[in-house]
Amino acid sequence: TSTIHTPQNLRVAGETFPGDSPATYISADNGVEVGDFTNFGPGVGLISVNHDPVRNHEPVSAPPIRIGRFCWLGMNAIVLPGVQLGDFTVVG
């Protein structure tokens, strides 16, 4: 039940499986990087792109989302464009 938009821009380290939990949503338009041994709870959203506030159909460029190693994103956590989480970070 997970969704990944622009999967070619998603880089996931060897021991991480972001689609394991149900209802994970990843929009990797501007890039998403996830480190080793990071876990996602159900309903986690990674949204790497936003839209122009006036012209909703136009995307706005942003740095990629970077999530470190050994992180845990709890149920329904949302990570927005340009966010960088260091190793061993918990988002609830």
Side-chain angles (χ1 to χ4, degrees):
T1 61
S2 295
T3 301
I4 302 174
H5 291 279
T6 320
Q8 64 271 21
N9 292 341
L10 173 62
R11 287 190 289 182
V12 179
E15 295 295 325
T16 296
F17 308 98
D20 277 358
S21 291
T24 300
Y25 177 84
I26 300 174
S27 169
D29 294 33
N30 281 328
V32 173
E33 301 171 12
V34 183
D36 278 325
F37 305 104
T38 289
N39 289 304
F40 295 168
V44 165
L46 305 179
I47 303 167
S48 72
V49 67
N50 206 342
H51 59 81
D52 184 270
V54 175
R55 295 180 208 98
N56 290 339
H57 63 282
E58 292 185 24
V60 175
S61 183
I65 292 172
R66 291 189 172 97
I67 300 173
R69 300 170 60 231
F70 298 97
C71 294
W72 177 64
L73 281 67
M75 185 175 192
N76 295 324
I78 305 292
V79 180
L80 296 175
V83 169
Q84 295 185 30
L85 302 176
D87 296 343
F88 300 97
T89 298
V90 175
V91 178

